[in-house]
Amino acid sequence: MAQRLDRINTFLEGASRNRREIISPEGIVLEVDVANHGERLIAFIIDFFFWMLATGLLYLMLALLMVERVSGAVATTIVLFIAFLLRNLYFIHFELASQGSTPGKRITHLRVIDRGGGPLLPGAIVARNLTREVEIFLPLGLFFSQPAVSSGAYFWYSAACLGWVLLIAALPFFNRDHLRAGDLIAGTMVISVPRRQLLAELVATETAYAFSRSQLDVYGAFELQVLEELLRRPLSLETSQVQQQVCRKICSKIGWAEPVPAEKTAEFLQAFYTAERAHLEREQLFGRFRADKSELPAARR
């Protein structure tokens, strides 16, 4: 199944997703798309912006309330503690409340899940987010603290802090599931959950197009899934052009003599999808399954 979906993505997009199969404790096989590095980086940048905005507003309120009431050292301690509290509560709260999605992850359609296929436990969420302190914020905090040491010692001190951050940041590039240290410790992973349009209306749609059995026999299950993925795409100029190309190929293959106007392309493809799906399901009931157009139905070999 995963290989077939990879073929569909390659056919439509020219590249396959990094897909994994996870077996749940109940023995159910779950297919997931692993989030790539770019998606995770964009989600983190969005979350970092929201966190900085919330932190800045809180600091402004505290400055107005506590001006000239505390010393500089106490104020610095309070600021650092609030920053620690906000950045951890931000990620932990949203991942607990939104089934593993922060605002940044929701915008980029990502989710945190348990690698074993079980429920995402609060302990795992807390562990993966507290680990971020050791991964990023602690070494960066030490780097910018600028201790009073000699120039040579400070160089090695700064190099060690930055080296630690770079080493940890590179970890997702050296494992197939793009796991950072927090994911390895907590037993989690980040997956892509793209929003797709439901195709129930495609099956139930009444249409003026009628196809013969010989025309429907031209294609198999793989081609039907390719067409389904295409019809699920959001409407755009690029999608419309691809639909027109696919429509011309289908008309040529099945011998459809009547030309299909450009504005009727989506309607024609939906009608063909509905008819082809019903035909393949009916054939499968009689033991005649066709994987793709290059394969004869099993009962006819």
Side-chain angles (χ1 to χ4, degrees), residues 102 166 252-253 287:
T102 58
L166 293 176
S252 175
K253 284 286 185 182

Side-chain angles (χ1 to χ4, degrees), residues 218-236:
V218 172
Y219 288 104
F222 171 71
E223 289 76 23
L224 181 69
Q225 287 183 308
V226 172
L227 182 56
E228 180 176 334
E229 291 295 317
L230 177 60
L231 292 173
R232 277 177 169 164
R233 285 187 171 187
L235 185 61
S236 66

